[in-house]
Amino acid sequence: MTAGPLTLTVLGCDGSYPGPGGASSGYLVQYQGASVWLDAGSGTFANLQRYVAIEDLDAVVITHEHVDHWSDLEHLAVAARYVVVRDDVPLYCEPDLVSAMRTASAATVLAWSRIGPGSKLDIGGMTFTFSRTDHPVNTLAVRVDAGGRSLGYSADSGPEWGLAQLGPGLDLALCEATFLSEREDALGFHMSAKQAGATARAAGVAKLVITHLWPRTDRRAAEEEAAASFGGPVHVASIGDRFEV
Ligand SMILES: [Zn+2]
Ligand SMILES: [Zn+2]
């Protein structure tokens, strides 16, 4: 176990489906040698193994049952059953996902625990807390506190929920920004880049990273929209990005 700051590594950040060469939602959160895979969209299991061996994964946290956030759990299950041979990988998610996966092999080799908006998890010196977002299925935004630093992740949400509901003092917010503001009225269960910037500003976050852009959303335009409403520079997530929170 090595000492170190709270870090966030982007394993995949494409919204709703992976674009060419991309990966769906998935992040690696690490602190002092502990590693948590936060969302497990397609392509993220491959990228995860660039940073942590399957044997050393401490837990998986899944925000909701939409397939772009968990489909690679199936690959973890196969690797855990036949290759790595461990049946103790803790998996934290809502009951909806548990039921969706009951017939899958993942259900028998991962150590399921149900979480909800009031849950609090302590994993390797990190404290995880949750907030129900504005999305068509039960979805949990995530706050991670460790070593005096705080990370917030919106998961998927429309604008009726805001980052402030994760509590004050977020040093880094990872917020979904699926499309540009021109699409806001048509799809209210995701945020535009403009809305992502606005909710981050309202929550007083120090640093904003936008993610979950649809593969055809213009990254430059999204960055400009979000920066204008945030009132400061904004980073657009890419695979391999690593942030000290
Ligand atoms: Zn999604
Ligand atoms: Zn979703």
Side-chain angles (χ1 to χ4, degrees):
M1 303 292 261
T2 51
L6 177 63
T7 63
L8 168 74
T9 304
V10 178
L11 307 176
C13 50
D14 286 352
S16 305
Y17 68 96
S24 297
S25 293
Y27 308 91
L28 175 61
V29 183
Q30 294 178 297
Y31 179 66
Q32 294 190 342
S35 298
V36 175
W37 185 13
L38 175 58
D39 276 344
S42 61
T44 62
F45 187 52
N47 290 332
L48 175 81
Q49 294 167 76
R50 289 178 162 156
Y51 307 99
V52 58
I54 301 164
E55 291 88 336
D56 297 330
L57 187 61
D58 292 281
V60 186
V61 175
I62 303 293
T63 60
H64 67 300
E65 65 171 297
H66 283 158
V67 73
D68 59 312
H69 294 255
W70 66 265
S71 63
D72 270 9
L73 282 182
E74 298 284 2
H75 298 309
L76 170 64
V78 170
R81 172 176 285 180
Y82 299 109
V83 182
V84 177
V85 191
R86 59 176 292 195
D87 59 2
D88 60 345
V89 183
L91 169 63
Y92 299 97
C93 60
E94 295 240 31
D96 315 280
L97 179 60
V98 175
S99 7
M101 298 288 290
R102 273 300 177 199
T103 57
S105 60
T108 60
V109 295
L110 302 177
W112 300 88
S113 292
R114 298 179 172 198
I115 53 172
S119 299
K120 182 178 177 186
L121 305 176
D122 291 304
I123 307 169
M126 295 177 273
T127 301
F128 287 69
T129 50
F130 304 92
S131 168
R132 174 84 73 231
T133 74
D134 167 28
H135 205 52
V137 299
N138 288 331
T139 302
L140 296 170
V142 183
R143 176 179 176 125
V144 185
D145 289 279
R149 308 296 287 179
S150 303
L151 164 70
Y153 169 44
S154 66
D156 283 5
S157 184
E160 295 302 309
W161 175 89
L163 288 165
Q165 293 183 49
L166 287 173
L170 294 177
D171 296 293
L172 188 154
L174 178 65
C175 189
E176 80 128 285
T178 301
F179 37 62
L180 301 179
S181 53
E182 64 199 15
R183 298 294 298 268
E184 283 173 11
D185 293 337
L187 282 162
F189 49 88
H190 285 295
M191 284 190 237
S192 68
K194 181 180 176 183
Q195 288 167 329
T199 189
R201 183 187 182 102
V205 312
K207 182 179 175 72
L208 174 61
V209 178
I210 57 173
T211 191
H212 201 275
L213 277 67
W214 278 340
R216 295 188 184 187
T217 297
D218 186 300
R219 292 172 60 88
R220 180 77 181 269
E223 180 183 350
E224 287 173 0
E225 263 196 9
S229 55
F230 180 51
V234 170
H235 187 88
V236 184
S238 295
I239 290 174
D241 283 347
R242 184 172 181 276
F243 304 95
E244 275 190 23
V245 174

